[in-house]
Amino acid sequence: MSDFEQAFALALRLLFSFDPALIEIVALSLKVSLSALFLAGLIGLPFGAAVAVTRFPGRGGVIILLNAMMGLPPVVIGLLVYMLLSRAGPLGVLGLLYTPAAMIIAQTILIAPIIAALTWQVVESLEGEYSELFRSMRVPFHRRVPTLLFDARFSLMTVMLAGFGRAVAEVGAVMIVGGNIDHLTRVMTTAIALETAKGDLAQALALGFVLVLIAITVNGAVIVIRQAARRRAYA
Amino acid sequence: MRIPATFIAALSLFALTAGGAAAQEKSLLVQSTTSTANSGLYDYLLPIFEKKTGIKVNIVAVGTGQAIKNASNCDGDVLLVHARPAEEKFVAEGFGIERRDVMYNDFIIVGPAGDPAGVSGMKDVEAALAKIAAANAPFVSRGDDSGTDKKEKALWKAADVDVKSASGSWYRESGSGMGATLNTAVGMGAYTLSDRATWLSFANKGDFDIVVEGDDDLFNQYGVIRVDPAHCPSVKQAEGAAFMDWLLSPEGQAAIAGFTVGGKQLFFPNARP
Amino acid sequence: MRSHEAAVLPIEARGLRYKAGGRALIGPLDLTISQGGITALMGPNGAGKSLLLRLLHGLIRPTAGTISFSGRAAGDGAPRQALVFQKPVLLRRSVAANISFARSLAGGGEHVDDILAEAGLTAQARQPARLLSGGEQQRLALARAMALRPQLLFLDEPTASLDPPATLLMEDMIAGIAQRGIKIVLVTHDVGQARRLADDIAFMHQGRIVEHGPAGTLIEAAETKEAQAFFAHRLVL
Ligand SMILES: Nc1ncnc2c1ncn2[C@@H]1O[C@H](COP(=O)(O)OP(=O)(O)OP(=O)(O)O)[C@@H](O)[C@H]1O
Ligand SMILES: [Mg+2]
C-alpha cells in the first residue's frame, strides 16, 4: 500500500474509532481557532467597517497596511507574540506563553487584519449603495457602522470563514507560542508537523485528511446556515 | 437573524473557556531537544514520574540552540539538551544552576543503499566525511544550531573540510529539525548525521541505513540543567528539582534504560551519583 | 391641521446654482414656496427636478446661492425632512425592519404595525424588502420616510413605474399625508396626478423655474411657451 492509501485508511480508522487523542487535539484546534475568530471578528469587523465609511488623512495608508498584513507569515506573528509573552518580554508576568491563550492571541493577530481588510471591501461596496440613503435619512455615524455590518452579514460570514480557514490551517504561530505540548497545546497542525518530523508520513497525512474534513464540515455548515437565513431575511 | 446570534453566543463560550484549560495542577515546563521527544522517550518516562509525584511535565521540543535561548528567556524550568559547551556557557552566564550528565547515546551517519561516496562500514568518522566531500556526494545538514548541528560542524572542522563554501552545492543546509532533515535526506538520497534515537524511531527510512557508526567522536551526551531562580524568579523551583533529581536517581536512570524501540535501547543512563 | 407650516414655510431658494462636470445644471434659480399642501415640480426629462430636490434636501451643496426654511438657513435650523428617491433604496432587511430602522432614527412615533397597515403592507411585513414588487417598494419607501416623522417631505416621481390602481393607492397615501399638515414637494410628469394632488406647480426648464403658480392656472393657461408646450402634449386629462 502506498503512503497515500495507507494515510487514507488510517484517517478513516482514526475518525471512526473516535480516538480520544485525536478528539482532544481536534477539540483544541477548534477551541483555539474559533476563539481567535471570535476575537478577530470583534476587532476586525467594526474596524474594517469604520475604515469603509470614514474619510480621514492616512486612510489609504491604513488600507495598504491592512492588505499587506494579510500576507504576514504566521511564523513572524508567532515570533512577535513569543517575544511579547516570553518571561523576558514585556508581558511575561502574565505567564501565558505555552498556553492555549497564547495561541489564541497569536491567531487573533494573524487573522484580524484579514477580517478587517475583507470587511472593508464588503462594507465599502454596500456603503456605496447606502450612502445617499444614509445621508438622506440623516443616519448618525455611530449607527452607520452597525447597520452596514448587519446588512452585510451574509457576505461577512464568508469573510469569517476565510479567517477561520487561515487560523485553523496555520502552524507557524501556534508552534512557537504554544510549543506543541502534548495534552496542553497540541493542535491538528502541530501534530501533523510532529508526525512528519517522526517520519510517520501516513499518520501525518491522515491527520491532514481529518483537518480537511473539519474545514469542509465548518464551511458546509456555514453555507447551509447562510442559505437558510438568507431565504428568510433578504434577497 | 436568530442564527448568527446563537453562533456568536457559542463563540463567546469558546473564548471564555479557552484560557481556563491551562495549568491548574502542579506542573513544570522542560525545554528539550527534539530527539528525546520524537523518539518517544518522554511518552515512556513522564507517566512514571507523574504517577509517582503528581507533577505534570510539559515538554517543548525544539532544537538545542532554541531550547537554550528559550530557557535563558526564563520560558522553562528545566533544560534537557545535548551540546555540552553551550550548556556550560548557559550555566556560566548564570541562567542555570548546575549541569549534570543524564544519559548518552551516539551519532551515526546514515545514507542511501547505493552509498555513492563508498563510506559504508567506515569506523573513522572524519575520514568518512572527507570522503563524502571528495566525492561531492550530497550531504544534508541540520543547519539550525541544534546540538546535532553543532556536533556536525565540529566533525567537519576536524575532518578539515570547508563546508561553508560548498553550501548550496553538495552540502545542503535544511535549517530544520532532525526529522525534517531526515525526510529531506531520504528524499534527495543524501547522507546526513543523526542521533541514533531519532533514527531508530524514524518511520520514513526508505532504503537508507546506517553507514558510519562506532567512532568515539560520535559520542552524544545529554545534559540536564535547572534554570536558576536567581535569574528567573518565575521558575518552578520545587517541581524542577523534583524532576531533575528523579531523572538522576537510580529509579529514573533505570527507567531511561528501560525505554526501547523495536527491542533496541535508545538512551544509556550515565548520571554520576 | 397645518401644524408644521410654521417650521417649514416659506421655503426659499435665492440665486441657487449647481455646477457639475463643468456644466451649469441648475440656476440661477429663485423659488419661494409659501403655501402649504402639495407643490408639484414639473418639467421635461433632464430639467433638473431631481437635482433641485437633492439641493433642497441637503444631499448636495449648491455651487452658489442660499436655501432657507421659515427664514432659517438650511443646515442648522432645517425642519425635519425626508426624501423618497426616484429609485427607492431599501435596506437588505425585512419590510418591517426597514420601517423600524427609520422609526428608531426618529426616536419613536407610530407603531410599525400601524405604519405598515397604512401602506397596505401588513401581509408582507416579514418578507425581504427587496422581494417586493415595484409598487410595494415605492409604498414601503414612502412609509419608511413617514416613519422619520418629517415636517417636510420630498417625493421624486413616486408613481412613475406603477400601474393605475397602485398609482391611486399611492396618491391616497400622499393626500392623507398632506392632510396631516406635512408639506410635500412632489416631482411628477403625470399632469392628471398634478391636477388631482397639487395645490401649486413650479415648472422647470433647463435648470431654472420658468413659471410658478396655482395648479389649475398652470395646466390650463400657462404663460411661458415652455410650460404651454409641455401641457399641450399632456397624455392624461
Ligand atoms: N452628478 C452629475 N454630474 C453631471 N451631470 C449631472 C449630474 N447629476 C445630474 N446631471 C445632469 O443634470 C441634468 C438634470 O438631472 P435631473 O436628474 O435633475 O433631471 P430630472 O429633471 O430629474 O429628469 P427626469 O425627469 O428624467 O428624472 C441632467 O441632464 C443630468 O444628466
Ligand atoms: Mg428625476
Side-chain angles (χ1 to χ4, degrees):
Chain A
M1 226 173 12
S2 73
D3 264 352
F4 192 81
E5 291 162 32
Q6 206 183 328
F8 202 74
L10 202 60
L12 289 178
R13 221 175 317 131
L14 274 176
L15 275 176
F16 289 103
S17 63
F18 297 103
D19 180 30
L22 179 68
I23 289 171
E24 191 183 353
I25 59 172
V26 168
L28 187 64
S29 276
L30 288 176
K31 192 157 130 179
V32 166
S33 295
L34 286 175
S35 303
L37 182 67
F38 175 73
L39 294 174
L42 226 52
I43 301 162
L45 291 173
F47 187 78
V51 172
V53 300
T54 47
R55 301 290 177 270
F56 54 91
R59 179 174 178 269
V62 169
I63 291 168
I64 290 171
L65 200 72
L66 275 183
N67 281 310
M69 277 175 76
M70 278 173 55
L72 262 192
V75 212
V76 173
I77 288 161
L79 269 175
L80 195 87
V81 175
Y82 171 82
M83 291 194 306
L84 281 176
L85 296 183
S86 164
R87 287 284 176 186
L91 300 178
V93 283
L94 301 178
L96 287 179
L97 193 67
Y98 304 132
T99 66
M103 301 157 84
I104 292 171
I105 292 170
Q107 290 196 342
T108 302
I109 296 175
L110 178 72
I111 62 175
I114 297 174
I115 291 180
L118 295 178
T119 299
W120 163 68
Q121 285 174 19
V122 165
V123 170
E124 175 132 293
S125 78
L126 187 64
E127 207 258 346
E129 196 181 310
Y130 278 10
S131 65
E132 259 217 320
L133 178 71
F134 278 169
R135 281 191 296 130
S136 155
M137 291 177 86
R138 319 279 196 247
V139 180
F141 179 78
H142 71 272
R143 294 279 314 263
R144 293 184 185 201
V145 167
T147 302
L148 286 165
L149 284 176
F150 183 79
D151 284 12
R153 61 199 177 278
F154 299 109
S155 312
L156 292 176
M157 273 189 179
T158 317
V159 170
M160 292 295 272
L161 270 185
F164 176 74
R166 174 129 160 119
V168 82
E170 73 86 20
V171 61
V174 282
M175 185 64 102
I176 296 176
V177 304
N180 189 24
I181 298 169
D182 204 6
H183 306 303
L184 183 59
T185 57
R186 185 161 299 164
V187 291
M188 292 298 292
T189 53
T190 59
I192 291 170
L194 178 65
E195 293 307 331
T196 309
K198 286 180 179 172
D200 198 341
L201 303 190
Q203 176 82 16
L205 200 55
L207 290 171
F209 284 140
V210 175
L211 187 59
V212 170
L213 208 74
I214 292 171
I216 290 174
T217 311
V218 171
N219 277 275
V222 169
I223 286 169
V224 168
I225 291 173
R226 185 180 137 137
Q227 277 176 352
R230 184 175 225 155
R231 233 174 285 126
R232 273 189 293 159
Y234 142 81
Chain B
M1 189 51 267
R2 246 162 251 120
I3 290 163
T6 32
F7 190 61
I8 286 167
L11 288 183
S12 352
L13 215 109
F14 271 121
L16 287 175
T17 54
Q24 59 284 78
E25 71 232 301
K26 274 174 120 185
S27 68
L28 78 144
L29 188 74
V30 178
Q31 286 286 351
S32 165
T33 175
T34 46
S35 52
T36 42
N38 290 2
S39 61
L41 175 66
Y42 293 127
D43 296 335
Y44 176 82
L45 284 186
L46 298 185
I48 304 175
F49 174 73
E50 284 167 10
K51 195 160 168 234
K52 183 182 160 79
T53 60
I55 301 172
K56 166 113 173 57
V57 183
N58 294 317
I59 304 287
V60 173
V62 286
T64 291
Q66 205 197 328
I68 290 176
K69 181 91 189 82
N70 289 348
S72 55
N73 282 339
C74 306
D75 298 321
D77 307 305
V78 170
L79 184 63
L80 200 158
V81 290
H82 62 140
R84 187 158 191 156
E87 291 162 40
E88 280 167 349
K89 186 161 164 263
F90 181 82
V91 175
E93 285 174 348
F95 297 126
I97 295 181
E98 74 176 313
R99 183 202 164 279
R100 296 284 300 271
D101 284 340
V102 57
M103 62 199 179
Y104 70 91
N105 59 9
D106 61 342
F107 292 106
I108 50 177
I109 292 178
V110 297
D115 191 22
V119 293
S120 186
M122 286 177 74
K123 276 268 172 282
D124 182 346
V125 62
E126 284 85 6
L129 287 177
K131 219 173 156 190
I132 289 172
N136 281 351
F139 184 98
V140 181
S141 166
R142 292 275 295 268
D144 65 348
D145 196 35
S146 59
T148 308
D149 189 50
K150 289 180 209 281
K151 180 76 185 181
E152 183 217 293
K153 296 281 187 308
L155 290 172
W156 284 114
K157 204 165 171 219
D160 209 19
V161 175
D162 175 19
V163 286
K164 265 221 157 63
S165 63
S167 185
S169 60
W170 61 268
Y171 186 76
R172 296 160 191 180
E173 292 182 273
S174 74
S176 43
M178 194 68 253
T181 301
L182 282 170
N183 279 325
T184 309
V186 171
M188 54 173 62
Y191 295 96
T192 192
L193 180 81
S194 171
D195 64 282
R196 190 182 290 271
T198 302
W199 172 252
L200 285 180
S201 53
F202 188 68
N204 182 33
K205 292 194 179 83
D207 68 349
F208 269 51
D209 214 335
I210 298 174
V211 289
V212 179
E213 62 183 328
D215 191 321
D216 284 347
D217 288 347
L218 289 172
F219 185 71
N220 180 23
Q221 177 67 49
Y222 290 85
V224 60
I225 306 173
R226 267 168 61 203
V227 177
D228 192 343
H231 171 66
C232 298
S234 60
V235 139
K236 292 184 173 158
Q237 282 193 69
E239 290 87 342
F243 182 59
M244 184 159 159
D245 291 347
W246 181 79
L247 276 180
L248 302 173
S249 72
E251 191 193 337
Q253 294 275 295
I256 291 170
F259 171 61
T260 58
V261 169
K264 284 181 189 153
Q265 184 177 342
L266 262 49
F267 297 95
F268 300 86
N270 67 342
R272 272 179 299 274
Chain C
M1 196 166 99
R2 297 283 189 230
S3 54
H4 301 298
E5 281 178 3
V8 176
L9 298 174
I11 303 170
E12 288 186 289
R14 289 282 161 269
L16 202 62
R17 285 168 194 270
Y18 182 72
K19 270 193 202 168
R23 277 172 65 206
L25 300 171
I26 293 284
L29 180 149
D30 289 281
L31 175 68
T32 305
I33 300 174
S34 41
Q35 217 184 319
I38 300 178
T39 298
L41 199 55
M42 303 188 78
N45 291 133
K49 305 179 295 294
S50 296
L51 279 179
L52 180 55
L53 280 199
R54 283 179 142 74
L55 283 165
L56 291 173
H57 191 48
L59 285 180
I60 49 178
R61 297 174 67 82
T63 315
T66 57
I67 295 167
S68 67
F69 301 95
S70 185
R72 282 182 303 247
D76 31 290
R80 285 199 309 274
Q81 55 192 60
L83 181 147
V84 176
F85 290 101
Q86 199 166 345
K87 286 173 240 139
V89 180
L90 298 174
L91 296 175
R92 300 183 176 199
R93 302 180 178 195
S94 72
V95 169
N98 265 274
I99 301 288
S100 44
F101 180 73
R103 198 172 167 276
S104 74
L105 288 174
E110 247 186 300
H111 280 291
V112 174
D113 292 342
D114 297 338
I115 298 173
L116 286 174
E118 279 165 49
L121 289 170
T122 304
Q124 288 88 349
R126 307 243 30 104
Q127 252 190 46
R130 298 190 171 202
L131 288 187
L132 294 179
S133 77
E136 289 165 341
Q137 292 203 14
Q138 284 287 5
R139 289 213 299 279
L140 175 56
L142 178 56
R144 188 180 61 187
M146 286 311 294
L148 291 170
R149 293 199 286 168
Q151 297 168 309
L152 168 60
L153 184 60
F154 298 109
L155 302 176
D156 198 348
E157 299 189 42
T159 60
S161 57
L162 306 189
D163 67 11
T167 303
L168 287 180
L169 206 77
M170 191 63 135
E171 286 182 3
D172 281 349
M173 276 177 80
I174 295 170
I177 292 165
Q179 262 163 31
R180 278 188 255 163
I182 296 165
K183 175 67 197 171
I184 294 177
V185 179
L186 166 77
V187 173
T188 181
H189 290 293
D190 181 341
V191 181
Q193 182 169 76
R195 194 198 295 283
R196 287 190 292 277
L197 291 178
D199 297 292
D200 56 327
I201 296 177
F203 190 83
M204 277 190 89
H205 186 75
Q206 293 183 349
R208 298 163 195 236
I209 304 283
V210 293
E211 198 169 345
H212 184 192
T217 314
L218 242 86
I219 295 170
E220 303 303 338
E223 287 172 10
T224 55
K225 59 179 192 306
E226 292 90 352
Q228 281 166 3
F230 184 88
F231 290 113
H233 295 108
R234 63 189 175 226
L235 301 170
V236 185
L237 279 168

